[in-house]
Amino acid sequence: MGQTARPRVFSGIQPTSGVTLGNYIGAIKNWVDFQGQKDNLFCLVDLHAITIKQDPAELRARTRELMAMLLACGLDPARSIVFLQSHVRAHTEAAWLLNCVTPIGWLQKMTQFKDKSVKQESVLTGLLTYPVLMAADILIYKANEVPVGEDQKQHVELTRNIAERFNGLFGELFVIPEPVIPKLGARIMGLDDPSTKMSKSSAHKPGHAIFLSDSADTILRAFKRAVTDSGGEIRFSDDPLKAGVNNLLTIYATITGKDRVNVEADFIGARGYGDLKLRVAETVIEALRPIRERYEALIKEPANLDANMRRGAEAAAAISEPIVRQMKEMMGLTPAQPSLSV
Ligand code: AQP
């Protein structure tokens, strides 16, 4: 398959426990901004979600909710292919093939594997090999760009290594993808603890994460209790002691689209961190309000969501299945012959 004139973009998000403000700022908001300029594929990565124990009924419900939320955020099925990973079998097939070219040491070094495995009583094989599935997700579309938050950069680098290894062993097939990390907002921190990433799996901690579906009251309360420092200076800073203020300003900057200078100018004359927290909360509430309203309408139409997922999967399979057939052939697997008529 030749490359299209426009760069192809692939990215994914797990259907686990709602969409955080971190997911939105670090990934989804940028996906929406790419639409129209690039050839986009956005994937609800449910096969990644099951690397950690999931309740089956809840996972199914979360998946539909995520589809509704992505559309509510502005992903447009007319301009982007939005689909569910488990609906396109090319992903698991390619993952197995790539497992067979990936040294296990590469996977054992992954930071996310090390972090997540210490939190599990029993570590599943899928948690170790999940970056290979992620590599398959990206490579079977010959994606040029992978817009992700900072935490996924290492996995995209691994994807590049796997692609180069495959190309070296069997011949040039894969495009070597580039991670696209936003300059600002690539790592939104927890409001309760600005030294840790805002993440779904820490969302049980009070005041840690904002979810896009949260009510205005919940958002306001979480920002009011956001951890800052004992000073009073409202400016961007790399100083770990000012990480809380830096995080609030980063959220404000990415949501308003203003640069650092203009953001700091907005807070000249502010009465301390109380004012800052209130202004950031109001900005987030107003930005999320239309998203929440669209979400409420979309989630009431499950048949429409399912139809969108089906159309997305058909479009995705049409691109990826021929590439997986090529992988198998290059690796020496024998193509199935068409059945003989008797
Ligand atoms: N805090 C964050 N700041 C910026 N970007 C973030 N992303 C996640 N958290 C932040 C980006 O969101 C995209 C989708 O993430 P995911 O659903 O694949 O899961 P994740 O990276 O594992 O997100 P979480 O919330 O941190 O989930 P858990 O707690 O399960 O690990 C990715 O592009 C990611 O970089």
Side-chain angles (χ1 to χ4, degrees):
M1 193 210 66
Q3 284 295 295
T4 47
R6 300 193 303 178
R8 181 168 287 158
V9 174
F10 179 96
S11 201
I13 179 165
Q14 300 191 48
T16 43
S17 63
V19 176
T20 67
L21 190 62
N23 297 141
Y24 179 67
I25 293 174
I28 301 167
K29 193 172 177 298
N30 303 306
W31 302 353
V32 172
D33 295 344
F34 283 130
Q35 289 190 117
Q37 304 161 32
K38 303 191 179 175
D39 184 12
N40 309 295
L41 291 123
F42 298 116
C43 187
L44 291 78
V45 287
D46 55 347
L47 297 170
H48 290 276
I50 57 171
T51 54
I52 303 280
K53 193 166 172 284
Q54 301 289 340
D55 175 74
E58 201 172 307
L59 178 61
R60 244 187 310 277
R62 295 286 188 204
T63 301
R64 233 194 225 140
E65 287 165 14
L66 178 60
M67 185 69 185
M69 189 53 90
L70 292 177
L71 299 184
C73 287
L75 287 191
D76 171 7
R79 290 188 294 162
S80 296
I81 299 175
V82 187
F83 70 105
L84 188 57
Q85 187 184 28
S86 64
H87 286 177
V88 181
R89 67 182 68 163
H91 291 250
T92 41
E93 215 178 339
W96 177 256
L97 302 176
L98 295 179
N99 267 323
C100 298
V101 299
T102 307
I104 197 163
W106 289 6
L107 304 178
Q108 285 162 332
K109 279 199 304 223
M110 292 293 109
T111 311
Q112 207 176 71
F113 171 69
K114 289 195 252 173
D115 287 353
K116 289 198 174 176
S117 55
V118 292
K119 294 181 195 154
Q120 305 299 314
E121 270 175 37
S122 145
V123 178
L124 303 175
T125 311
L127 190 62
L128 176 69
T129 58
Y130 131 84
V132 180
L133 178 59
M134 178 165 160
D137 298 338
I138 297 165
L139 298 178
I140 60 176
Y141 297 98
K142 297 192 175 178
N144 308 87
E145 297 177 13
V146 187
V148 284
E150 183 68 42
D151 59 328
Q152 290 294 338
K153 191 171 172 218
Q154 195 184 35
H155 289 158
V156 183
E157 274 156 9
L158 178 81
T159 300
R160 292 167 59 87
N161 293 339
I162 294 175
E164 277 163 1
R165 192 173 167 95
F166 183 100
N167 287 353
L169 287 170
F170 303 108
E172 287 296 313
L173 175 66
F174 294 129
V175 167
I176 311 300
E178 292 290 338
V180 179
I181 316 275
K183 284 196 183 67
L184 204 59
R187 193 171 165 83
I188 298 297
M189 311 308 275
L191 297 185
D192 62 330
D193 174 5
S195 68
T196 62
K197 186 188 87 155
M198 182 184 286
S199 84
K200 296 173 209 159
S201 48
S202 301
H204 57 279
K205 296 184 194 159
H208 170 78
I210 301 285
F211 284 93
L212 302 198
S213 54
D214 281 347
S215 68
D217 272 0
T218 308
I219 297 173
L220 184 61
R221 237 177 305 127
F223 275 107
K224 275 188 172 168
R225 64 197 289 187
V227 170
T228 46
D229 56 82
S230 54
E233 231 185 324
I234 302 179
R235 59 173 170 83
F236 286 97
S237 166
D238 293 334
D239 180 351
L241 289 174
K242 294 202 65 78
V245 170
N246 194 63
N247 194 37
L248 292 173
L249 291 175
T250 302
I251 293 171
Y252 181 85
T254 49
I255 296 287
T256 57
K258 292 185 181 179
D259 63 21
R260 287 166 195 252
V261 174
N262 282 309
V263 166
E264 287 176 355
D266 277 1
F267 292 99
I268 292 170
R271 290 188 309 275
Y273 293 158
D275 251 14
L276 168 69
K277 291 177 185 180
L278 198 64
R279 293 265 291 282
V280 179
E282 282 166 356
T283 305
V284 170
I285 290 167
E286 283 320 306
L288 298 189
R289 190 187 305 282
I291 294 178
R292 211 173 43 244
E293 284 169 6
R294 283 196 293 274
Y295 172 80
E296 295 302 339
L298 285 158
I299 199 67
K300 290 191 188 116
E301 298 200 41
N304 174 45
L305 296 171
D306 293 352
N308 271 309
M309 273 196 249
R310 195 190 58 244
R311 279 194 290 271
E314 284 166 4
I319 302 171
S320 52
E321 282 177 1
I323 297 174
V324 175
R325 269 201 299 279
Q326 236 176 316
M327 284 175 78
K328 288 162 84 176
E329 238 176 275
M330 292 170 86
M331 292 177 83
L333 304 180
T334 305
Q337 296 303 314
S339 59
L340 298 170
S341 51
V342 190

